[in-house]
Amino acid sequence: MAKVLGRAPLVAVVGATGTGKSELAVNIACKFNGEIINGDAMQLYEGLPVITNKMPEDERGGIPHHLLGCIGLNEETWTVGNFVSNALARINEIRARGRLPILVGGTHYYTQSLLFHDALANKSQDEEPVSYAERPAILEEPTEVLLAKLREVDPVMADRWHPNDRRKIQRSLEIWLQTGRKASDIYEEQRTRREAADHEAQSEDAQDESLLRMRTLILWVGAQSDILSKRLDARVDKMVTQGLLDEVSTLSDFYDNRIAGGESIDTTRGIWVAIGYKEFLDYQAALRKGDTSPTQLNKLLAQAIEKTKAGTRQYAKRQVRWIRIKLNNAIDTAGAKNSFFMLDGSDLPKWEQDVSETGLKLVDSFLKEQTLPDPSSLSPLAAEMLTASKPDTSARSDLWSRKHCEVCHTTSVTESDWTVHVNSKRHKKAMSSHRKRALNGTAQAVVPQKQDGTNEQPKDD
């Protein structure tokens, strides 16, 4: 394992929702005198334990949990910089007590920004968090306004994102507003610095030192996708029996009271996007109206539950995708692959053995700075999943290539995405139909453009 001597250890537990991350973190904390730091954006909010999937108090083993339920429902989800500064402060406090900090959570861009030196997480530990009220007003404008402003100040990033990707457009503009620097320049500096580390570092230790904030063991609790999907569906059913509908009603009352008081609420961010709230709004409205038949109410309830299940499954897939692409590539670049392990929790009856016992052994060896096993040797699933599914292009400006297909009305922002599109059945079918219409004189052929802007004649399928 690449060692970073002279720095205190951190254990990070990552993984998709429903895999048992919190349980493993508690087990580690109980055995190794640890305290837990929440890294889940929704669990920052006070109350609502069912919607936010907080671990019940009686299952926490008396272990202190930090950054859990620490902000009000009326507050915005923390920015990355805000989370990093608060988490680093808690890590120092935990270490000052002679205990082991354990990070656990599913908001993986929080996790990744904390684990690695990142120019975009520009708030230092000593800075005061910036409240949402202090954010520039332009960030609340419509997406097309944000894109126009971003194109003015950082045209490279404006071309990088899909014109409908509000969150990424907003983030790039926010970076410029907060730092006075273009996000594209910062990404380029990161790329250059990492390439320099690859060429100049003479050992894994030097690479690790240049990118990781601290000596870290990362445990990924995973499961086979089909098994996890069934598990998540069952968990949603359990959430309903545990009081999910009461929490939806509580949130709705909170919303109504604020609106009645003349306040405005943006339901596209913060606690309002938590899976399990918005999916029940139609049912909640019908219930409050009071004149909906029981049959229709049951139908709306069933639809809401199914929407919640689908949303949860999709969220889990996005979490796994983030780990396999972004986190995996970052760990690889840092020369820290030998401290990144996947624990296969697919078999629930064997979860204690496959996940907990294996994880505890790894933590013990890590804290003693002993040689760790080959991560791919733990299970067939680990061998498969610990290989990045594809390169992370988000910070590689040399791989950005924005193209628009006039036939399918689709925009691609990387060369690989464009290649997938033009080779897709949908595109080929659309091109074939378009050529037939053109030959029949019912439409004028639209000629796709190459990356350099020149025309490219369509080829026969």
Side-chain angles (χ1 to χ4, degrees):
M1 179 186 72
K3 296 180 181 179
V4 184
L5 301 178
R7 288 191 287 174
L10 171 73
V11 175
V13 182
V14 302
T17 184
T19 53
K21 300 186 298 295
S22 297
E23 290 86 345
L24 176 60
V26 166
N27 291 348
I28 294 171
C30 288
K31 183 169 183 177
F32 297 103
N33 191 32
E35 297 184 23
I36 293 172
I37 301 169
N38 165 53
D40 186 293
M42 291 298 105
Q43 292 185 13
L44 290 171
Y45 287 97
E46 62 184 358
L48 306 176
V50 179
I51 287 180
T52 60
N53 285 300
K54 292 187 181 74
M55 192 178 205
E57 285 275 2
D58 59 0
E59 296 179 13
R60 298 179 192 175
I63 300 299
H65 282 61
H66 304 276
L67 306 186
L68 191 69
C70 58
I71 64 176
L73 298 180
N74 61 323
E75 296 183 61
E76 282 296 316
T77 306
W78 280 355
T79 64
V80 169
N82 196 341
F83 171 77
V84 170
S85 63
N86 278 279
L88 287 174
R90 299 303 181 277
I91 288 173
N92 285 339
E93 293 168 3
I94 293 169
R95 287 173 173 168
R97 291 189 285 271
R99 309 191 74 177
L100 173 68
I102 303 163
L103 174 69
V104 59
T107 305
H108 293 119
Y109 60 86
Y110 276 5
T111 300
Q112 190 160 329
S113 294
L114 176 63
L115 298 185
F116 298 91
H117 290 292
D118 185 354
L120 298 183
N122 51 56
K123 299 182 187 301
S124 71
Q125 176 186 339
D126 299 324
E127 286 183 293
E128 288 295 324
V130 175
S131 70
Y132 182 74
E134 295 171 321
R135 294 177 70 194
I138 190 174
L139 294 177
E140 311 315 313
E141 295 288 340
T143 303
E144 57 268 23
V145 175
L146 298 182
L147 182 58
K149 182 62 177 177
L150 181 62
R151 192 171 302 284
E152 177 185 329
V153 300
D154 192 350
V156 174
M157 293 308 298
D159 282 340
R160 168 69 181 98
W161 306 126
H162 190 282
N164 294 331
D165 197 335
R166 177 182 177 84
R167 184 180 65 82
K168 292 178 180 177
I169 293 170
Q170 185 183 56
R171 176 58 179 149
S172 295
L173 182 57
E174 184 178 26
I175 290 169
W176 181 81
L177 292 169
Q178 288 182 344
T179 68
R181 302 183 60 208
K182 299 177 182 178
S184 56
D185 289 343
I186 295 175
Y187 282 131
E188 183 62 25
E189 288 178 8
Q190 289 179 330
R191 185 177 70 86
T192 301
R193 175 157 53 88
R194 289 173 183 176
E195 287 181 350
D198 287 340
H199 290 298
E200 297 175 8
Q202 298 301 313
S203 67
E204 288 185 338
D205 299 291
Q207 288 186 350
D208 191 272
E209 176 74 32
S210 68
L211 294 172
L212 280 169
R213 291 181 188 272
M214 57 201 83
R215 191 168 71 89
T216 307
L217 175 69
I218 305 172
L219 302 177
W220 173 11
V221 185
Q224 296 174 12
S225 60
D226 56 338
I227 294 176
L228 180 58
S229 293
K230 294 177 182 178
R231 194 179 301 172
L232 293 176
D233 285 350
R235 190 176 74 171
V236 171
D237 290 331
K238 185 177 180 180
M239 289 169 65
V240 174
T241 64
Q242 289 178 330
L244 175 62
L245 298 182
D246 290 336
E247 292 189 3
V248 171
S249 181
T250 297
L251 264 179
S252 296
D253 289 341
F254 180 78
Y255 174 88
D256 291 342
N257 290 336
R258 289 189 66 193
I259 294 297
E263 299 182 58
S264 62
I265 298 178
D266 183 355
T267 57
T268 65
R269 51 172 62 87
I271 190 63
W272 309 104
V273 299
I275 299 173
Y277 168 67
K278 57 187 180 299
E279 290 81 4
F280 283 85
L281 290 180
D282 289 344
Y283 169 75
Q284 187 74 17
L287 194 64
R288 292 189 173 195
K289 191 176 180 182
D291 59 357
T292 307
S293 68
T295 300
Q296 183 62 19
L297 276 177
N298 288 334
K299 181 179 179 180
L300 289 172
L301 178 60
Q303 290 174 344
I305 292 173
E306 183 52 43
K307 288 178 183 177
T308 303
K309 290 179 178 180
T312 303
R313 293 193 301 267
Q314 291 165 4
Y315 177 54
K317 289 179 181 179
R318 291 197 300 272
Q319 289 176 304
V320 171
R321 178 179 173 84
W322 181 287
I323 296 173
R324 292 202 67 192
I325 298 176
K326 293 185 177 295
L327 184 58
N328 216 335
N329 278 288
I331 290 170
D332 192 21
T333 300
K337 294 289 284 186
N338 289 335
S339 58
F340 179 37
F341 293 84
M342 183 188 197
L343 307 174
D344 186 357
S346 300
D347 190 344
L348 278 182
K350 294 178 61 180
W351 190 92
E352 283 295 329
Q353 174 186 334
D354 295 344
V355 177
S356 184
E357 292 180 13
T358 302
L360 292 174
K361 289 178 183 177
L362 290 170
V363 174
D364 185 56
S365 297
F366 167 73
L367 294 177
K368 294 176 179 177
E369 298 194 50
Q370 297 174 344
T371 300
L372 297 176
D374 179 356
S376 64
S377 69
L378 294 190
S379 69
L381 185 63
E384 173 190 352
M385 300 297 283
L386 288 174
T387 300
S389 58
K390 68 178 184 178
D392 178 13
T393 62
S394 63
R396 290 285 306 277
S397 58
D398 55 317
L399 298 180
W400 300 348
S401 176
R402 188 173 186 271
K403 297 180 180 180
H404 184 74
C405 177
E406 297 291 348
V407 175
C408 302
H409 304 292
T410 296
T411 299
S412 300
V413 292
T414 67
E415 188 63 37
S416 61
D417 289 343
W418 178 254
T419 300
V420 169
H421 171 69
V422 297
N423 289 323
S424 67
K425 292 182 179 179
R426 174 196 171 195
H427 175 75
K428 291 179 179 179
K429 183 177 180 180
M431 286 298 298
S432 177
S433 298
H434 185 79
R435 284 195 293 270
K436 290 177 181 178
R437 290 196 301 269
L439 290 173
N440 292 334
T442 59
Q444 192 174 24
V446 176
V447 182
Q449 288 189 327
K450 296 180 181 178
Q451 183 177 351
D452 60 7
T454 60
N455 290 339
E456 179 181 11
Q457 294 299 327
K459 298 178 181 178
D460 293 333
D461 293 333

